[in-house]
Amino acid sequence: MYRYPIEDFYYPGERVEDIGSYKPGGLHPVHIGDTFSTCLGSDKPRYRVLQKLGQGAFSTVWLAHDMSDNDRGVALKINMADRKWNEEINLLQALTPAAVGVSHPGQKHILQLLDHFQITGPNGIHDVLVTDVVLPRLAVQDCGVYDPKRTAYQSLLALDFLSQQGVVHGDLHTDNIAFTLPGLRNLSEKVWMETLEESPDMVPVIPRQFDGQNDSWPKYLVEPAEVVYIVKLLMKGHGMEKIDAVIIDFGSAFRASNPIPEYQSPPYFCAPEILLQAEHIKEQFYKPDWRFSGDIWSLGCSIYELVAGHPLFTQSKVELLESIIEFAGPLPQSWFALLDEKLRLRLENDEASLRAASEVYQQGVFQGPPGYPTRWKDEIGFASLVQSMLKMDPTTREPASCLIQNFWFDDIRGQTLRACESITASREREDSAN
């Protein structure tokens, strides 16, 4: 199928998805004010699109008015038609409190599926996932209400919960850690629209050469709304300790008992064994019992970036493996023998310099940045956590159940324990009253 290059259009836009993704099998064209019903073929609408929240590689996400549930706002994630997302829906359904049946503190740090349905459009049949609206990190960070250590701890709780349920996320990185605030779930359509202040920024879809109407395209693309205004509104009545991190986007998730799908994460968040299997080792060497360890590595890279404010590893594929070796040490000898000849020779030639650079690299990455003069005073604990997660050999990486006990989290664990005790006491009072 022909993919239209961005140069074929007059207004490419900067904060919008690729217009080439709108084609048969691709994205569904959505316009502000569109309505969707929850049943295929039904004429009764339930959700009305109000604003754009964001876009990913395989979906767009929209703020919508749920007209059947107390006038609340929800998020609609509309996936590409050619993506097989039934597993994402099945996994999210299996992770709900009703399905799990046991209490785990990490469960509330997983995005909950509220509803799902399918829509039919010019590009095919699309799965739509309905969830609570969550906020990107930059929205809460810009408002001064962001605590990276708390975020790291809650993300590890979520990962521990997933591993106990036998689920591998498969795409953990900083953009897939979002936030929720008290009151966000109950905001009405009126409050959402008045608080966002500005009308949506739209980019007209006008091809340079007209060759007939193309129904696969939307009439315009929409830039994501600036939700920072919502954060400011909600923070007037709530403290920072009320902000919770949630793991989102289970489009690449899979059960540990199932075959491993192709990883979609940015390379600099991927574990070395995943990078090597994808590009440098032809035979199958990746072992099934390494699956949870891949999530640990990815979250370790994410936690470093959340705290330090910059990525740990280079984004260049050419230099990425060398950066990983400088930080985590040499490849296991059993891996080295399996490398393609070009990479093996390069690493052999660079072995001495990589070893010499390792000590300098380790010292430099854990020096406190200027923006964290007080939070970085316990940098030994932070370094201990990250180094436990980013070990070259996947069999030696600590599981999330152990990592949440790291002494860097001593103060956070106390807050979480008190909160859990308060919730338990409240439920007991309700039960006795009934």
Side-chain angles (χ1 to χ4, degrees):
M1 181 61 62
Y2 178 68
R3 185 181 180 88
Y4 288 86
I6 198 69
E7 294 80 10
D8 285 0
F9 296 84
Y10 282 109
Y11 306 107
E14 295 182 356
R15 299 176 55 238
V16 294
E17 62 274 22
D18 181 1
I19 187 62
S21 297
Y22 289 95
K23 59 182 181 179
L27 294 173
H28 178 71
V30 178
H31 301 95
I32 301 297
D34 282 356
T35 58
F36 301 107
S37 62
T38 54
C39 299
L40 195 63
S42 172
D43 293 329
K44 185 178 180 180
R46 175 170 178 177
Y47 301 106
R48 183 164 70 116
V49 174
L50 305 177
Q51 267 275 19
K52 173 88 164 289
L53 292 176
Q55 64 270 341
F58 308 108
S59 63
T60 55
V61 184
W62 302 83
L63 171 67
H65 172 207
D66 184 350
M67 296 179 284
S68 71
D69 189 6
N70 298 320
D71 195 34
R72 64 176 294 193
V74 296
L76 302 183
K77 178 183 178 182
I78 306 178
N79 291 317
M80 283 184 169
D82 64 359
R83 301 291 293 182
K84 304 303 182 185
W85 291 99
N86 286 337
E87 186 63 7
E88 179 183 14
I89 293 172
N90 291 338
L91 286 175
L92 287 175
Q93 287 178 319
L95 295 173
T96 61
V100 173
V102 295
S103 177
H104 188 289
Q107 190 168 41
K108 73 173 185 176
H109 301 296
I110 300 295
L111 186 64
Q112 298 295 311
L113 183 68
L114 304 177
D115 188 15
H116 66 91
F117 57 96
Q118 290 185 325
I119 56 175
T120 301
N123 295 328
I125 299 176
H126 307 259
D127 284 328
V128 183
L129 286 71
V130 185
T131 67
D132 287 324
V133 178
V134 292
L135 305 169
R137 173 171 52 100
L138 292 180
V140 297
Q141 187 171 296
D142 289 347
C143 291
V145 296
Y146 168 65
D147 185 340
K149 183 192 286 191
R150 179 180 170 88
T151 300
Y153 182 69
Q154 292 179 340
S155 300
L156 279 167
L157 284 176
L159 198 56
D160 183 45
F161 169 68
L162 289 177
S163 63
Q164 288 191 21
Q165 301 304 312
V167 174
V168 180
H169 185 277
D171 191 20
L172 277 174
H173 53 80
T174 49
D175 286 345
N176 282 340
I177 300 175
F179 298 85
T180 184
L181 291 169
L184 185 63
R185 189 173 195 177
N186 299 319
L187 290 183
S188 67
E189 173 191 7
K190 183 174 183 292
V191 173
W192 270 107
M193 298 305 286
E194 290 180 350
T195 307
L196 291 176
E197 293 186 352
E198 299 178 356
S199 61
D201 291 326
M202 302 177 183
V203 179
V205 176
I206 304 177
R208 293 180 180 274
Q209 182 175 350
F210 181 74
D211 54 2
Q213 182 63 34
N214 190 328
D215 293 334
S216 290
W217 302 333
K219 294 180 175 62
Y220 51 82
L221 302 177
V222 184
E223 294 187 357
E226 296 289 348
V227 294
V228 66
Y229 301 113
I230 292 292
V231 181
K232 292 179 178 178
L233 172 70
L234 293 174
M235 287 310 299
K236 290 180 180 179
H238 303 284
M240 185 168 65
E241 70 276 4
K242 298 295 185 180
I243 295 177
D244 283 323
V246 288
I247 302 295
I248 64 172
D249 194 351
F250 283 74
S252 297
F254 59 97
R255 294 190 180 278
S257 56
N258 290 348
I260 302 171
E262 181 180 352
Y263 275 79
Q264 304 290 343
S265 292
Y268 50 97
F269 287 101
C270 284
E273 64 273 15
I274 295 172
L275 292 172
L276 290 171
Q277 183 68 83
E279 298 196 21
H280 299 291
I281 296 180
K282 294 181 179 180
E283 61 185 271
Q284 180 65 38
F285 94 114
Y286 189 94
K287 295 180 172 55
D289 56 357
W290 294 353
R291 294 171 180 178
F292 293 115
S293 297
D295 273 356
I296 294 294
W297 179 281
S298 296
L299 187 55
C301 294
S302 301
I303 288 174
Y304 180 88
E305 183 173 333
L306 291 172
V307 176
H310 58 83
L312 175 58
F313 298 120
T314 176
Q315 299 184 23
S316 166
K317 281 189 176 182
V318 176
E319 301 171 352
L320 177 56
L321 192 57
E322 284 90 339
S323 296
I324 289 175
I325 292 172
E326 286 179 355
F327 180 87
L331 299 178
Q333 195 58 41
S334 59
W335 298 9
F336 203 86
L338 299 174
L339 297 177
D340 60 63
E341 184 178 3
K342 182 178 179 180
L343 178 60
R344 186 171 67 252
L345 291 175
R346 191 173 86 223
L347 293 181
E348 286 175 348
N349 293 333
D350 295 345
E351 182 177 7
S353 60
L354 287 174
R355 288 184 182 275
S358 182
E359 291 185 13
V360 177
Y361 193 93
Q362 286 273 1
Q363 293 173 0
V365 297
F366 291 114
Q367 290 178 351
Y372 291 87
T374 56
R375 289 179 187 166
W376 211 273
K377 63 184 179 182
D378 52 356
E379 64 182 60
I380 295 176
F382 172 61
S384 167
L385 175 75
V386 174
Q387 288 168 338
S388 297
M389 302 177 75
L390 301 184
K391 293 183 177 179
M392 182 66 75
D393 186 346
T395 64
T396 62
R397 292 174 207 150
E398 292 188 10
S401 58
C402 293
L403 293 166
I404 56 179
Q405 302 301 323
N406 185 283
F407 64 90
W408 191 53
F409 293 128
D410 284 351
D411 55 335
I412 301 292
R413 274 198 306 277
Q415 296 171 12
T416 303
L417 179 60
R418 288 190 293 274
C420 290
E421 290 174 346
S422 176
I423 293 172
T424 301
S426 176
R427 288 174 176 172
E428 289 176 350
R429 286 194 298 270
E430 291 178 0
D431 292 342
S432 62
N434 295 331

